[in-house]
Amino acid sequence: MLALRLARGTHPLVQVRRLLVAAASAGVGFLLLCTLGYASTHPAYSTTAALRLLWCFVPLAATVQFAVAVARTDPSTRPRPGLSAVGLGPFRLSVLAAVSTAVSCTLGSMVALLLFLHLRGDLTGLPFDGAAADLLGAGAPLPVAAALMLLALSPVSAATASAMALRTRPVQAAAPDDEQDISPDEQMPAPAPAPTGLPWGVALTAIGLAVEAYSSRDGSGSAFPLPGKLDTTPAWVLAGWSLTAIGLAMAGPGLTHFAGRLLQAMRPGAVRLLAGRMLMDEARRIGRPLGAVCAVLSAVIAAFALYGTGPRPFGPLTALGAVLVLGCTTATLLTSALEAKQARAHMVRMLLRLGAPASALRAATALRVAVLLVVFTPITWAIAELAALPLTG
């Protein structure tokens, strides 16, 4: 009940983010139900149905990541001093975040179920009744228990991940008074230590590219069909792409920290020093979403390199899954950037009170964006070319 009351009184932009989580959950639920419909109408192709189900875990993971990012930026679940005195400590706040996330994802799953049944022809009296009956397996009954279990994957996974992420979040310190902020001996805080996941990320990326190159050398391997079409790609090729994506996500914080150090190279001025220190402090917060976006964009570039001049073996459900993954990873990056902005809001106010011009802060923001593009764009392009090279060859 407390979660519902807080949800009603939050800012409209927060409600929009929650609705986006519900929409992503609806898309994932629809894909899972489509896989179940395929399995019901093709009982002899159990392996193919299982592989289609495995493919659905990619947009599911992207949706869970987005839901966690939205939960971390939710004002109602932000830890603040004094909340423990009224019974809202870290544990209660994590439970509150889990309940809010579960409500949003459950709403999306319900919408997915209604849309699936409507397009399948099980619900009548509305436009487009049974418009996709053949695609959704209307010729066989739908197992109710299996459908409910699949629809529960998104709410349960997102709620659990949100609770775990917010359980370990530190409590923000109280903002000091203006007189205490303005001190003549104010010093720039020490830079954050470098993340430790860069070597592991590079290793996983290299292993993924090697697996893809080796498996595509002879074209053998079982097919890994995506929902819709695209059932000629060897399973080990997509397994290599998955390892590459995980590696890039692990390497993202280290690359972001390196971008911050790059900004401070060669006798930096005040603006470059400020931009670099901020980027190093935000490396753990925005680095992983940056790596995920880098992985998704490299897959898109590789797909265009493979099918750009010929017919594309993509069906409507494959397109839905691709839109979900690309949209959720991009929205996660933007939400993480918003979280980083909220985290440094006090420092920005302090700098403004100390006399720093607003133009210098805007220049520091532009420098951070520019150096991230300089670091991540060549990596994205190189990974895409290396991933597509064995297949095009």
Side-chain angles (χ1 to χ4, degrees):
M1 188 61 66
L2 177 60
L4 294 177
R5 289 181 178 178
L6 291 175
R8 288 190 305 168
T10 51
H11 194 274
L13 290 180
V14 179
Q15 300 286 17
V16 169
R17 292 198 294 267
R18 290 171 177 169
L19 288 178
L20 289 177
V21 172
S25 178
V28 172
F30 188 80
L31 287 177
L32 291 170
L33 290 176
C34 292
T35 302
L36 181 61
Y38 177 86
S40 300
T41 54
H42 300 83
Y45 296 94
S46 59
T47 302
T48 302
L51 291 176
R52 287 174 180 264
L53 181 62
L54 287 178
W55 184 91
C56 292
F57 281 95
V58 178
L60 175 62
T63 300
V64 170
Q65 185 188 29
F66 178 43
V68 172
V70 171
R72 290 177 64 92
T73 57
D74 196 331
S76 62
T77 61
R78 190 178 306 159
R80 292 179 295 272
L83 288 181
S84 299
V86 295
L88 289 177
F91 177 76
R92 290 287 184 89
L93 287 177
S94 62
V95 172
L96 183 63
V99 172
S100 300
T101 304
V103 169
S104 300
C105 293
T106 302
L107 175 63
S109 296
M110 293 172 59
V111 172
L113 179 60
L114 293 176
L115 182 62
F116 178 81
L117 294 177
H118 171 58
L119 295 178
R120 198 171 184 259
D122 296 334
L123 297 180
T124 58
L126 296 174
F128 306 105
D129 289 334
D134 295 335
L135 181 64
L136 304 182
L142 190 69
V144 178
L148 294 179
M149 184 182 66
L150 290 177
L151 289 176
L153 284 178
S154 178
V156 172
S157 302
T160 303
S162 299
M164 294 178 62
L166 270 70
R167 181 75 181 273
T168 58
R169 187 168 61 176
V171 178
Q172 296 177 356
D177 298 334
D178 294 346
E179 293 80 5
Q180 294 175 347
D181 280 347
I182 304 176
S183 56
D185 56 346
E186 191 70 48
Q187 298 291 330
M188 178 68 68
T196 58
L198 182 58
W200 291 103
V202 173
L204 278 179
T205 302
I207 292 174
L209 292 173
V211 168
E212 178 195 346
Y214 180 79
S215 60
S216 61
R217 184 177 57 180
D218 53 1
S220 61
S222 59
F224 193 95
L226 305 183
K229 294 182 182 178
L230 193 63
D231 54 359
T232 59
T233 304
W236 283 106
V237 172
L238 293 181
W241 279 353
S242 300
L243 287 175
T244 302
I246 296 173
L248 287 174
M250 291 183 62
L255 292 173
T256 305
H257 193 274
F258 168 75
R261 294 183 63 89
L262 189 64
L263 268 178
Q264 302 174 75
M266 303 293 294
R267 302 179 63 181
V271 175
R272 279 205 295 140
L273 181 63
L274 178 63
R277 289 290 177 86
M278 285 185 174
L279 203 55
M280 293 168 69
D281 291 337
E282 299 168 358
R284 288 177 170 82
R285 184 174 287 112
I286 68 173
R288 198 174 300 275
L290 268 174
V293 170
C294 177
V296 172
L297 290 180
S298 64
V300 171
I301 296 173
F304 273 101
L306 290 174
Y307 307 110
T309 58
R312 298 179 177 89
F314 301 109
L317 299 181
T318 303
L320 174 60
V323 169
L324 279 175
V325 174
L326 183 59
C328 286
T329 51
T330 304
T332 301
L333 176 59
L334 296 177
T335 308
S336 300
L338 176 61
E339 182 188 6
K341 181 180 179 181
Q342 294 173 351
R344 66 172 182 268
H346 170 65
M347 186 179 67
V348 171
R349 290 194 300 266
M350 180 193 69
L351 292 174
L352 290 176
R353 285 194 291 266
L354 289 174
S359 59
L361 299 179
R362 290 193 294 267
T365 301
L367 276 177
R368 292 200 303 273
V369 174
V371 74
L372 287 177
L373 289 176
V374 168
V375 171
F376 280 91
T377 299
I379 294 176
T380 303
W381 188 265
I383 295 297
E385 292 295 327
L386 290 174
L389 184 61
L391 300 177
T392 55

